[in-house]
Amino acid sequence: MEQIILIKNAQVLAPEPLGRRDVLISGNSIAAIGENFSVADSNLPVTVIDASEHYLVPGFVDSLVHFIGGGGEGGFATRTPEMQLTDATLGGVTTAIGVLGTDATTRTLTNLLAKAHALQIEGISTYCHTGSYEIPCRTVTGNITDDLILIDKIIGVGEIAISDHRSSQPTISEIRKVAAAARVGGMLSGKGGIVSVHVGAGDSLLQPLFDAVTGSELTVKQFYPTHMNRNNAVFESGLRFAKAGGVIDFTTSTTDYDLKHGEVAAAQALARALQAGIPAMQLTLSSDGNASLPIFNEDGDLLGLQVGQVRTLYQSAREAVQQYHVSLADAITAITAAPAAVLGLKQKGRIAVGLDADLVLLRHDDLTIDQVFAMGKQLVAAGQPLVKGTFEP
Ligand code: ZN
């Protein structure tokens, strides 16, 4: 029979606070949420977990991960490595969206899809975007709309680069065509069909997206711009985009160099955006995991590289609570319900009966990750992996 797990007496953030509840997992799904569930008299093979010292929150949704690696801006030796399963699970991430980046020549969509399937087999839920930084977009079938309709794991396009020296310098017309293809593909396949947009440090900021929307039938909701905490000018332009109804994303992987050179820490960006009155459901965090974090000088010359880490996703959410006074519910929303909604992942990002049993138990005292469940299976206990990827030691 299917495995049954009863989580008792947890302070549940669904992500809205539900109070103390018992949550029953059956197979892959959340079967019941209530109070005083008892299995004492039954002979059912139920695993009971006492969560009276814990918050129970949805498994984290990381909307941008380079899980086959990325980078290469400093030549072949600077291509970053693949993500491993526990890079995600130890950081509470139970759903990851894989993307290509600058390099769509030595990194391919077929490789990305294969890695997505591998991670799914190992235990987490995965999806991909078709395309990469460049327009015209690389695709699997030759067509963005076809990729969305015909390939289960493909849920959108991106990350398309704008306002960046590594972009293909797309025209407004090109951006509109990509968005239109994503929109139609999303409608016909019942998927989100959004365009993930990599926003660089160029002077045009988000203007290409405003221009793409103005004078067309597209809306800002079609675009999901990321790296909106890259510097203060990008952040302020993100607030304008959010006030116009869009969802904006802050990147949690960073370097000391970036923070010293004007990047707004993702935790601080989240706090400032909430203070500016942006609803929590329009604000997300993503890790940019396994991206290269290139360090450039003013002439655009590469000085060095670091690698993005998926575990920074929750570290930043926790930092938002502990250092910037964001409520735990709002911080968790930015890594669960909000990204799941913008991506159109209806089974993810919330704790409710019938949804996928992706759950994280956080310790009350220090908000560290204690236990992680993905599709009803426990992958992390006491902060240690119970399950590892195929090639992890
Ligand atoms: Zn990017």
Side-chain angles (χ1 to χ4, degrees):
M1 72 179 284
E2 288 184 320
Q3 189 180 14
I4 301 174
I5 300 171
L6 176 57
I7 299 173
K8 291 282 296 174
N9 246 329
Q11 197 90 40
V12 177
L13 297 172
E16 66 282 1
L18 297 186
R20 283 207 180 271
R21 289 289 181 273
D22 297 346
V23 174
L24 187 72
I25 300 171
S26 175
N28 299 333
S29 303
I30 297 168
I33 301 170
E35 291 173 89
N36 302 317
F37 289 167
S38 175
V39 291
D41 303 332
S42 78
N43 293 318
L44 289 169
V46 181
T47 303
V48 180
I49 294 171
D50 172 17
S52 51
E53 302 294 318
H54 294 81
Y55 292 101
L56 182 67
V57 300
F60 306 148
V61 178
D62 194 340
S63 65
L64 197 85
V65 185
H66 298 274
F67 51 52
I68 58 170
E73 285 96 335
F76 295 117
T78 63
R79 298 167 78 255
T80 61
E82 283 197 2
M83 189 192 84
Q84 300 295 327
L85 179 72
T86 61
D87 295 336
T89 56
L90 291 177
V93 170
T94 54
T95 300
I97 288 72
V99 296
L100 298 180
T102 317
D103 176 5
T105 301
T106 77
R107 312 280 191 183
T108 63
L109 290 167
T110 49
N111 187 4
L112 188 71
L113 280 166
K115 178 71 177 182
H117 282 288
L119 289 165
Q120 185 99 30
I121 292 165
E122 290 175 342
I124 64 171
S125 297
T126 54
Y127 303 90
C128 299
H129 291 323
T130 191
S132 63
Y133 271 20
E134 68 194 67
I135 302 178
C137 292
R138 311 279 181 134
T139 63
V140 179
T141 63
N143 181 286
I144 291 169
T145 307
D146 289 4
D147 276 12
L148 271 148
I149 296 170
L150 300 175
I151 301 172
D152 287 349
K153 284 204 174 291
I154 292 183
I155 59 170
V157 183
E159 51 175 332
I160 302 287
I162 63 167
S163 304
D164 193 292
H165 62 102
R166 291 163 288 175
S167 80
S168 58
Q169 309 301 324
T171 64
I172 302 307
S173 170
E174 284 178 319
I175 294 169
R176 283 181 182 154
K177 297 272 187 219
V178 167
R183 176 170 180 75
V184 173
M187 285 192 299
L188 294 177
S189 60
K191 297 173 181 173
I194 50 94
V195 181
S196 161
V197 181
H198 161 108
V199 183
D203 291 339
S204 57
L205 303 169
L206 286 179
Q207 199 55 45
L209 302 187
F210 287 118
D211 289 349
V213 168
T214 306
S216 76
E217 284 77 39
L218 298 167
T219 73
V220 290
K221 292 186 192 309
Q222 190 60 48
F223 298 101
Y224 181 27
T226 187
H227 314 316
M228 300 312 299
N229 52 324
R230 181 184 294 285
N231 60 42
N232 206 53
V234 173
F235 175 76
E236 293 292 339
S237 110
L239 291 188
R240 286 195 294 283
F241 189 84
K243 282 177 179 161
V247 178
I248 56 174
D249 183 64
F250 303 123
T251 301
T252 59
S253 287
T254 188
T255 64
D256 288 342
Y257 180 94
D258 288 322
L259 290 171
K260 277 188 202 130
H261 288 78
E263 184 171 291
V264 184
Q268 186 187 17
L270 180 62
R272 282 174 58 187
L274 288 164
Q275 280 160 15
I278 309 298
M281 283 297 284
Q282 285 173 249
L283 300 167
T284 71
L285 304 180
S286 68
S287 74
D288 209 9
N290 292 66
S292 67
L293 303 176
I295 300 165
F296 295 104
N297 68 14
E298 283 165 7
D299 294 329
D301 301 322
L302 186 76
L303 301 180
L305 283 164
Q306 294 180 25
V307 180
Q309 304 289 340
V310 173
R311 66 170 178 270
T312 61
L313 183 78
Y314 178 65
Q315 286 171 353
S316 288
R318 182 167 170 249
E319 186 185 327
V321 175
Q322 294 181 329
Q323 291 187 34
Y324 296 99
H325 311 295
V326 171
S327 74
L328 184 58
D330 282 351
I332 293 298
T333 296
I335 55 174
T336 59
V342 69
L343 295 165
L345 301 177
K346 298 181 183 72
Q347 288 297 111
K348 302 297 186 187
R350 292 194 165 278
I351 298 177
V353 172
L355 301 194
D356 291 343
D358 297 338
L359 300 161
V360 175
L361 282 169
L362 305 173
R363 292 166 52 100
H364 266 168
D365 50 1
D366 59 3
L367 297 182
T368 53
I369 294 170
D370 188 48
Q371 304 183 46
V372 179
F373 303 82
M375 298 299 284
K377 189 172 175 198
Q378 186 162 13
L379 302 185
V380 173
Q384 299 300 315
L386 293 178
V387 177
K388 290 184 174 179
T390 311
F391 298 106
E392 290 191 272

